[in-house]
Structure formats: C-alpha cells, structure tokens
C-alpha cells in the first residue's frame, strides 16, 4: 500500500482549497512477473563415509519477490545426479538416494520454480572418508521401540560418545531425521517431533547419529540407532476377491464345501489374525472360523431350486479391542438341470468410444445334460446398449456408450437349457472408461467488462470460465487469448489456469475505445479439445438432385441434405436453412427441417411443370463465431403422370470386414417401380454412387422385373466407415457400410 495526502483546489477566482487534505491509500496488486531467487548462487556440502540412504546432505532455499516471498515454490534436480541424490520438492532438502558412490565429487544444478519463472543454482557435494577422531559410541548399534500412532514428543533413545577430553564439549547430530525425529545436540537424546508413526507404512527406522568436536568437522564418530515401531490394532480386516457369488447343488450332502471367503488385516501378530463368523446360519450353513470356508450344515428339500440366500459373514481380528468388517453375498441353490456358468461373476472395462457391434465379453455356461444353452440379457440394459449372441454368449456393444451419462452398467445374463427350460443367471459389470470426447464450454457465449483508461498494468478486467464434462485430466481447462491482426490482444494477458484477464499495457481511451478478442479454452486430454470453432460443416455431396410431380401435395418429402462438422459439442451441431438470398418463389414452394435437412413441399408446383427449381441450402454449426457452408439443390418438376422410381426402404446398411477382397459383392438394394413401363425399367434407369465413396465402390444392375436389384461391389480396399449417397433417376438414398 502507498498512503498519500491529497489537497483539493477550486479553479475559480479567488482560488480556494479544502480546509484539510484527505488521505488516499493506493493498494498495488501483485502479479507473477519475477523469478524466484536462491539465497546463494552456489552451495557446497561435505558427505562423510560411510553413509546411508536418507542422510541429509544440505538444504537449499529461495525466495520469490512476488507475493509473500514463499508462495508455491518447487525444487527439483536438473542433471544426472538423480541416481545418487533426491530433493524434497517443497523444502529444498537434499538427501542421499544411493549410498554407493563411484567418485569423490558431484556437481549438479538445482532448479526452483514458481510455476511460471524458474532459477537455478550450482550444488557441489564432496565425498570423503571420515578421519579417525579418537571418539567412539558406547554401542555401534542402539535398539529402541516406539508405539505407532503416538502423537506426543517421546524420547526414543539416548546415545553417548566417549574419548573426548575433560570438559571438552561434543556435538551430536542426527543425519537422517526425515522430519520425524530430532536429537538434543549436547545430551544425545533422540526424540520424536510429535508426528505419529504408522507401522503399516514403515516398521523400522535406521537413524545415523554423528558425534564430533565443534572445531573439527571431518573427525567424527558414528553409530546406528534402530527404531522399531510396535503395532497397535488400528486396521480392520478387509475382504479380498470381491464380489462374492456362490452356488450349491440342491442334492448336496451336509458338510459339502460351498465357498471360501478371505480377509486380510494389515496389523501384526494377534492384531492381524482373522476369524470368520456367520450372523445367521439360515438353517442350512455353517462357517469354519479359521479358514473362512462356508459349508452346508443341513440338506435342502429335494424340490427346492433357483432359491437365493443372502449370507452375511463377519471377519474379526484378535486385537484389543477387536475390529471387524462384514460382507454379504448370494448363495444360489441349483439343481442338476440348471446351466452352470464358468465364473461366478463377469466384468469388463471398455472405452466410451468403442465402435458399435464390437464384441466385449464372452459368457459361457454349460448344461449338465450336455444340451444347448440360450443366452439373454434380462435386466440392467434399459437403453438397449448391449446385445448377446443367443447361442454364443458373446456380449457386443450395439449403441454408443457415454461415460458422462453412465460410467458403469450392471447386466443380468440368463442362460436357459434348451431341453428342460432350466435357467441360471449371472451378474455382468461393464465399466465405461472416459475418453476425451467433450470440449470445454464457456458459461457465457460472450463476456463484457468496463475498465478505466487509468487502470494500472496488471489490473483484473474480468474472468472467463469454461467447464468440461469429461473426468480427471480430460476435464482440466487451460485458457489462451487468440492473437489478432490488429494486435489489440497485446494489451491483455490471461492466466492460463484461472481464466483471469489482466491488463498488460497502459490503455488510452482517445486511441482505442473498445477491445474485442477471442479466448480459447483447451482441455488436457489426448488429443486435446478446445472451444475454438475451426471447422465448417461439410455436405455429403457437391450438389443434390430430386424430382417431384407438378401436382405434388404440400408436406411431401422431396430430398434430404446432410452435412457433418468435425468439431465437438455445440461447435459440431449442424442446422439447416434455405439460403437467405433464395427467391420468394423458392420460399413459397419449399421448406426445410432445420434438424434433419429434409426439404418439404408447401406450395403449388403446377406453374413450374417441365422446369427446374434451383436454390442453395445453408448448413450452420452452433459455434461462436458461426461457420456455415452452402450446397446447390435442383428440383426437377415433372408432369402429373411421370413415373418416379422409389427405393424399398429409406436406408440400407451393410457390414463388411476391412480385408474383404476387391471385387466382392456387398449386397443388393431393391428399387421399386410404381406403374413404370418395363421398357423404362430395362433401358432408362441409371444408378450412380454419388459422393467420394465412388472411389471405393461401384455398382451394376441386373433384371428381375418388376423389381430391379442393384448390386454394390468393392473396387479398392476399405479403410473405415463409408457412407454412400446413392441415387437412381434422381431418387437418392443413404447406404451405411460398417467396416
């Protein structure tokens, strides 16, 4: 802050001023414009042998002129000494990583970064053998114990070195305290710093203690203190191999083993010993307390089948006090005629962009009588996303998956014996993995702000915010100002992580009164997606032709135009309209559905008999700024008794392998002729593949009147999904071919 005094004067005559000045405080906001700086340009340390992993060599420190001088600094090593040393990123503490040294001197750089700027410093570590000091500890190795989870400062051990002269002080140092221990420099008492220790994380600490004289750093004595962390019962048993499913034959005898559960406890000794218990035997089951084996205690009735029992099992350790956990799982009673699955539970993970018709999992069940088994999905698929081969048991994806809508699906598959009708069911879990398929979307299509021309450099103007519906790193958003030719964006800077826009130069209202620029949001996925609308819609054909009778009724579908946009989200959503410069005649006779692209009649075509009506259709995306494309459409107006062919269905689909040989026939399409003379059918119908797919496919015709079939044939190798725009005598149809 910068306090100052201001006095106000009146410009009249005589000139008057305020009785007393006003105090004005100007607060200067900080921006990250300075690199951090090490406290020294170079550091040097001496490391005496023998040494151990975790021994502290030295500590580097840096300050940042920005902020409070310590904001978010990160330390790292930049050279090849990472093999022998490591550095704590937040504190700058350099420790030994590998105590096997091959040379006596190590020189390397350390870097400190504030996230935007960084600096380096040179570190030199000299490695020497410790000289004979005449000092010796009372023990070469000390042993101590401390209970885990103790948050109090506790004395662990006291070490003593001998050999010093009378009244000669010794100084004790702990070389690898690790932030959990410390030593009294004059008494040699080792104690904790109040940080609780976790035995399950680390059971033993080897502390290296050094004793030496104040004036001689190279003549020292060393001893090892082994600190054993004793166990406390602080972990409950955890069941492994979940989920559990079990089945038992209705004819099973008492004592039959049904299933075995297993729980593990991370504690030690009795604290880690686990016993198993049933909450309720349900009149039929018993549990081996030591092994966790579930056995049949009483036989079932002979006519009982397809009954499911929910068994609740407790696992309890032997600690004081004891800790426990529980699990519930189904036990199904089956008869000999019921199919038996080869697994009690099925699971699979698939990416959300998996192509439809892709097999993802095979279910296998066998009939005890050797009969065929039929498979069906009975529950868990309300959106019909999956199908199962009724005779193969292969589950396939038949509709697009979406992680953002449903990250997992739990299906129930039923296997039915073809002869007896006996059936069994099994759970199938399909986990959908996220892919980066959603670009960032700004909360507002445009942002506005008012800022004073006297604003200092670094003043916040406004903040933009974009969200991404993907997960984890795919949802992390970075911001960028898109440069323009007028260099107006040079006056502003945007924080890439927060979207905060700051002034980067002084502003002058008399020179520029308004700044307009674009901000781009990009996620961290692979490949990265952005909010930028950089693709215009592309039509499936260079032009469209269609025919109508002059007496056509309003509301008749004439033809459908289709366009695709390679962008994602709203940037890739296409809408259709008649071009704004279309003649009044076109707008009175035709309309277009903005979503589907179907051109529909709405007026009287009789005056146009024998002519061609031409116009443009515009396809626009939903991005900002909007991008669009135009395509020509020609409507041939025929007489009322003209014979117009029509396809037997609105679209056809074929599925072919990608390695299908050239010359193979894909299939045939029905082209129905309504009241058309046979001569026309045999002589005047032309069939054409009418888009870029004509380079991959060709077609030929053969006669089977009164229905004409047209075959599509491969003429070069297929690489991916193809969409044919196919027409005969100005009648169009889309044929989808999946590879």
């Amino acid at each position: 802050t910068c306090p100052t005094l201001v006095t106000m004067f009146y410009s009249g005559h005589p000139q008057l001023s305020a009785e007393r000045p006003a105090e004005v405080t100007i607060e200067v906001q900080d921006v990250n414009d300075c690199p951090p700086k090490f406290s020294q340009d170079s550091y040097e340390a001496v490391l005496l042998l023998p040494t151990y992993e975790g021994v502290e060599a030295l500590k580097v420190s840096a300050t940042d002129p920005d902020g409070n001088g310590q904001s978010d600094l990160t330390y790292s090593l930049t050279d090849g000494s990472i093999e022998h040393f490591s550095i704590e990123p937040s504190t700058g503490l350099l420790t030994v990583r590998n105590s096997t040294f091959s040379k006596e001197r190590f020189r390397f750089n350390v870097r400190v970064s504030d996230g935007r700027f960084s600096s380096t410093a040179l570190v030199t570590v000299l490695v020497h053998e410790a000289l004979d000091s005449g000092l010796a500890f009372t023990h070469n190795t000390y042993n101590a114990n401390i209970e885990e989870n103790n948050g109090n400062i506790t004395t662990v051990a006291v070490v003593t070195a001998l050999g010093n002269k009378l009244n000669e002080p010794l100084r004790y140092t702990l070389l690898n305290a690790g932030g959990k221990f410390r030593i009294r420099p004059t008494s040699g008492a080792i104690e904790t710093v109040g940080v609780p220790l976790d035995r399950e994380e680390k059971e033993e600490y080897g502390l290296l203690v050094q004793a030496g004289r104040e004036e001689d750093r190279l003549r020292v004595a060393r001893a090892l203190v082994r600190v054993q962390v004793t166990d406390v019962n602080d972990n409950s048993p955890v069941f492994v191999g979940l989920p559990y499913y079990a089945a038992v034959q209705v004819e099973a005898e008492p004592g039959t083993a049904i299933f075995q559960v297993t729980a593990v406890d991370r504690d030690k000794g009795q604290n880690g010993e686990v016993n198993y218990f049933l909450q309720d035997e349900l009149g039929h089951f018993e549990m081996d307390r030591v092994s966790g084996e579930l056995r049949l205690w009483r036989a079932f009735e002979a006519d009982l089948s397809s009954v499911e029992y929910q068994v609740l099992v407790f696992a309890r350790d032997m600690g004081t006090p004891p800790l426990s956990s529980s699990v519930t799982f189904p036990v199904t009673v089956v008869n000999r005629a019921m199919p038996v699955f080869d697994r009690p539970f099925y699971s699979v993970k698939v990416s959300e962009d998996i192509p439809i018709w892709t097999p993802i999992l095979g279910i296998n069940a066998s009939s005890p009588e050797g009969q065929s088994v039929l498979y069906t999905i009975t529950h868990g698929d309300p959106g019909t996303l999956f199908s199962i081969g009724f005779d193969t048991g292969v589950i396939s994806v038949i509709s697009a998956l979406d992680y953002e809508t449903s990250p997992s699906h739990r299906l129930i598959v039923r296997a039915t014996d073809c002869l007896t009708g006996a059936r069994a069911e099994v759970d199938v879990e399909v986990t959908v993995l996220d892919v980066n398929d959603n670009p960032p979307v700004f909360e507002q299509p445009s942002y506005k702000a008012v800022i004073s021309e006297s604003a200092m450099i670094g003043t916040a103007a406004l903040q933009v915010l974009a969200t991404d519906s993907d997960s984890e790193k795919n949802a992390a958003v970075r911001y960028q100002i898109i440069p323009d030719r007028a260099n107006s964006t040079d006056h502003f800077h945007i924080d890439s992580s927060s979207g905060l826009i700051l002034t980067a130069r002084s502003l002058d209202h008399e020179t520029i009164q308004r700044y307009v620029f674009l901000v781009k949001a990009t996620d961290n996925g692979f490949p990265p997606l952005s909010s930028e609308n950089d693709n215009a819609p592309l039509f499936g054909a260079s032009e469209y032709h269609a025919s109508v009778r002059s007496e056509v009724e309003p509301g008749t579908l004439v033809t459908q135009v289709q366009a695709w946009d390679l962008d994602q989200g709203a940037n890739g959503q296409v809408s259709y309209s008649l071009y704004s410069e279309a003649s009044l005649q076109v707008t009175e006779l035709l309309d277009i559905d903005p979503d589907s692209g179907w051109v529909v009649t709405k007026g009287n075509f009789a005056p146009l008999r024998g002519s061609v009506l031409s116009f443009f259709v515009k396809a626009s995306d939903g991005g900002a700024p909007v991008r669009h494309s135009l395509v020509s459409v020609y409507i041939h107006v025929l007489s009322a008794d003209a014979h117009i062919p029509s396809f037997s269905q609105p679209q056809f689909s074929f599925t072919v392998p990608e390695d299908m040989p050239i010359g193979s026939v894909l299939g045939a399409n029905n082209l129905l002729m309504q009241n058309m003379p046979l001569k026309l059918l045999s002589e005047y119908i032309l069939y054409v593949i009418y888009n870029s797919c004509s380079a991959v496919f060709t077609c030929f015709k053969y006669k089977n009147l009164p229905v004409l079939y047209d075959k599509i044939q491969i003429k070069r190798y297929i690489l991916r999904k193809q969409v044919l725009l196919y027409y005969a005598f100005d009648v169009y149809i889309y044929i989808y071919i999946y590879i």
Side-chain angles (χ1 to χ4, degrees):
T1 59
C2 181
T4 185
L5 297 178
V6 176
T7 301
M8 183 177 68
F9 292 91
Y10 179 61
S11 59
H13 297 282
Q15 190 177 56
L16 302 177
S17 64
E19 294 182 0
R20 57 180 180 273
E23 182 175 342
V24 177
T25 301
I26 301 174
E27 182 175 349
V28 180
Q29 292 183 341
D30 182 53
V31 296
N32 187 15
D33 57 354
C34 297
K37 183 176 178 60
F38 280 100
S39 59
Q40 302 172 210
D41 293 333
S42 63
Y43 296 84
E44 185 172 315
V46 176
L47 196 61
L48 299 180
L49 299 179
T51 189
Y52 298 90
E53 179 183 348
V55 169
E56 299 170 4
L58 63 88
K59 184 176 182 179
V60 299
S61 62
T63 57
D64 194 333
D66 297 314
N68 59 10
Q70 297 294 332
S71 57
D72 298 329
L73 296 183
T74 303
Y75 299 90
S76 61
L77 300 180
T78 63
D79 298 318
S81 297
I82 296 177
E83 177 185 353
H84 292 92
F85 300 97
S86 62
I87 192 168
E88 171 61 38
S90 58
T91 64
L93 181 64
L94 186 73
T95 59
V96 175
R97 183 176 184 179
N98 181 357
S99 59
T100 304
F101 296 107
S102 58
K103 54 185 180 180
E104 296 183 350
R105 186 176 71 170
F106 293 87
R107 301 188 70 182
F108 51 90
N109 289 313
V110 293
R111 175 187 286 120
V112 62
S113 172
D114 63 5
R116 182 180 180 187
F117 300 102
S118 64
S119 301
T120 60
L122 179 65
V123 173
T124 303
V125 179
L126 303 176
V127 181
H128 296 299
E129 291 284 346
L131 302 178
D132 184 15
S133 63
L135 302 175
F137 282 92
T138 56
H139 298 85
N140 291 330
T141 303
Y142 294 81
N143 295 300
N145 296 308
I146 185 171
E147 192 176 77
E148 69 172 325
N149 302 335
N150 186 353
N152 299 321
I153 297 177
T154 306
T155 300
V156 176
V158 178
V159 298
T160 304
L162 304 176
N164 57 320
K165 298 178 182 179
L166 184 64
N167 296 326
E168 182 183 31
L170 294 180
R171 182 176 183 83
Y172 296 94
T173 308
L174 192 57
L175 300 181
N176 56 345
K180 296 182 178 180
F181 300 92
R182 66 188 179 192
I183 190 169
R184 299 289 183 179
T186 56
S187 67
I190 301 174
E191 58 188 20
T192 62
V193 298
V195 177
L197 304 178
D198 185 1
R199 187 204 66 83
E200 289 73 35
E201 177 184 334
K202 191 171 184 178
E203 190 171 359
E204 183 180 281
Y205 292 85
L207 305 178
L208 188 61
V209 182
Q210 176 176 287
R213 300 176 179 88
E214 290 283 351
E215 70 280 359
D216 193 347
R217 296 174 53 192
L218 299 181
R219 299 178 186 273
V220 297
R222 290 181 174 179
L224 184 65
V225 179
R226 297 187 183 278
V227 180
Q228 193 77 27
V229 182
T230 58
D231 188 54
V232 172
N233 191 27
D234 57 350
N235 290 280
S236 300
V238 177
F239 286 95
V240 296
L242 296 174
Y244 294 148
Y245 296 89
V248 58
Q249 293 286 344
V250 68
E251 301 90 353
E253 298 291 335
T256 300
I258 301 173
F259 192 75
Q260 185 173 16
V261 300
T262 303
V264 295
D265 194 308
R266 297 180 62 199
D267 291 318
K268 193 175 182 180
Q270 284 193 340
N271 295 336
E273 292 183 9
V274 179
N275 286 336
Y276 304 91
F277 305 89
L278 286 178
Q279 183 191 45
D280 186 352
E281 287 78 8
L282 302 173
H284 290 283
F285 308 105
E286 62 180 357
M287 174 68 69
D288 187 298
R289 293 193 173 189
V290 177
S291 67
E293 185 177 73
L294 181 70
R295 293 191 289 258
L296 186 64
W297 178 67
R298 191 180 70 186
F300 300 105
E301 296 177 4
D303 59 348
L304 186 69
S305 68
S306 298
V307 175
E308 186 175 272
Y309 292 92
Q310 294 295 326
V311 177
L312 176 60
V313 178
F314 285 90
R316 187 170 63 201
D317 63 29
M318 301 292 290
T320 303
L323 301 176
S324 64
S325 58
S326 64
V327 63
T328 301
F329 63 94
V331 176
T332 305
V333 181
V334 300
N335 60 39
R336 291 190 180 276
M338 293 177 63
V340 178
F341 290 97
D342 62 354
R343 294 190 223 165
F345 175 78
Y346 293 84
S347 63
V348 65
K349 295 181 179 180
V350 297
S351 297
E352 63 175 325
D353 61 347
I354 185 171
I356 60 174
W357 303 112
T358 300
I360 59 173
L361 182 64
I363 307 296
N364 184 43
S366 57
S367 167
E369 304 299 330
Q371 301 297 320
S372 298
V373 175
L374 299 181
Y375 301 92
T376 53
I377 297 175
T378 60
H379 296 88
D381 189 22
T384 317
L385 303 176
F386 307 93
S387 71
I388 187 169
F390 72 93
D391 57 344
T392 64
V394 175
I395 297 178
S396 301
V397 176
I398 62 171
S399 187
L401 304 180
D402 187 12
Y403 170 87
E404 289 72 32
T405 303
S406 299
S408 65
H409 303 269
R410 198 173 191 89
L411 312 176
I412 295 179
V413 173
R414 175 179 296 168
T416 305
D417 190 294
C418 291
L419 180 64
T420 65
R423 63 195 187 189
E425 294 180 345
V426 69
D427 283 8
V428 178
E429 184 168 355
V430 180
T431 302
V432 182
L433 304 178
D434 185 39
V435 297
N436 193 31
D437 58 347
N438 291 283
V441 177
F442 283 100
E443 288 192 343
Q444 302 173 215
S446 62
Y447 292 81
K448 295 181 180 180
V450 177
I451 188 170
S452 171
E453 67 175 339
S454 61
M456 302 292 292
I457 295 176
T459 300
L462 61 91
Q463 186 173 18
V464 298
L465 181 62
T467 56
D468 193 308
S469 56
D470 289 314
S471 64
E472 298 179 354
K473 70 175 183 179
N474 293 338
V477 178
R478 294 174 287 108
Y479 301 91
Q480 172 189 357
I481 293 178
I482 300 177
D484 59 8
R485 295 181 179 178
N487 295 325
S488 61
T489 55
D490 293 345
H491 290 77
F492 297 92
H493 165 75
I494 188 168
D495 184 89
S496 62
S497 58
S498 67
L500 183 65
I501 298 176
L502 312 168
T503 57
R505 292 185 180 182
S506 298
L507 307 179
D508 185 5
H509 174 78
E510 286 70 31
T511 304
I512 302 178
Q513 294 81 36
R514 184 186 184 196
Y515 295 90
V516 179
F517 52 88
L518 297 176
V519 173
K520 178 181 178 180
T522 306
D523 60 30
N524 282 342
F526 181 81
L529 302 178
S530 71
S531 59
E532 186 177 8
N533 185 25
D534 52 1
N535 290 286
L538 297 175
F539 282 97
S542 58
E543 59 185 33
Y544 291 85
H545 292 262
S547 301
V548 297
R549 296 185 181 90
S550 59
E551 305 301 329
V552 65
E553 296 181 357
T556 301
L557 299 178
V558 179
T559 189
Q560 185 185 29
V561 299
Q562 281 194 325
W564 293 266
D565 196 305
L566 298 178
D567 292 314
Q568 301 288 329
N571 295 341
Q573 295 177 358
V574 179
S575 61
Y576 305 92
S577 62
L578 297 177
Y579 188 43
S580 58
E581 297 183 5
S583 65
L584 181 62
Q585 182 185 46
V586 172
T587 57
E588 289 178 347
L589 294 176
L590 297 169
D591 200 357
I592 189 169
D593 184 84
D595 298 321
S596 66
W598 272 105
V599 178
V600 185
T601 61
K602 69 174 184 179
N604 181 16
F605 281 79
L608 298 178
R609 183 184 297 111
S611 62
V612 177
L613 183 64
S614 62
F615 56 94
F616 289 104
V617 169
K618 180 169 72 173
S620 306
D621 61 26
V626 176
R627 293 181 179 270
H628 63 266
S629 300
L630 299 176
V631 69
S632 299
V633 180
Y634 299 91
I635 307 297
H636 300 261
V637 184
L638 307 179
S639 62
D641 57 351
H643 301 284
I644 301 178
S646 63
F647 287 100
S648 59
Q649 57 192 67
Q651 71 179 37
F652 294 88
S653 296
F654 297 110
T655 301
V656 299
E658 63 179 344
D659 59 350
M660 194 171 188
I662 295 175
S664 301
V665 175
L666 274 64
N669 305 310
N670 290 359
L671 184 64
L672 298 183
M673 306 302 171
Q674 301 173 354
N675 301 322
M676 181 169 262
L678 297 183
K679 183 178 180 181
L680 287 179
L681 281 174
S682 60
E683 297 180 5
Y684 298 109
I685 304 299
L686 176 65
Y687 307 87
V688 180
I689 295 174
Y690 192 69
N691 63 0
S692 60
C693 292
S694 60
V696 179
F697 301 94
T698 187
C699 58
F700 61 91
K701 60 185 178 180
Y702 67 91
K703 304 169 188 176
N704 187 12
L705 303 177
V707 177
L708 192 68
Y709 293 83
D710 182 58
K711 288 193 173 183
I712 300 174
Q713 190 176 27
I714 298 175
K715 68 179 184 182
R716 74 178 177 86
Y717 285 111
I718 307 170
L719 299 179
R720 57 186 181 276
K721 175 181 173 181
Q722 305 283 349
V723 181
L724 310 186
L725 179 57
Y726 183 70
Y727 76 93
F729 199 65
D730 294 341
V731 179
Y732 290 81
I733 191 170
Y734 283 93
I735 301 176
Y736 295 87
I737 300 179
Y738 300 92
I739 297 93

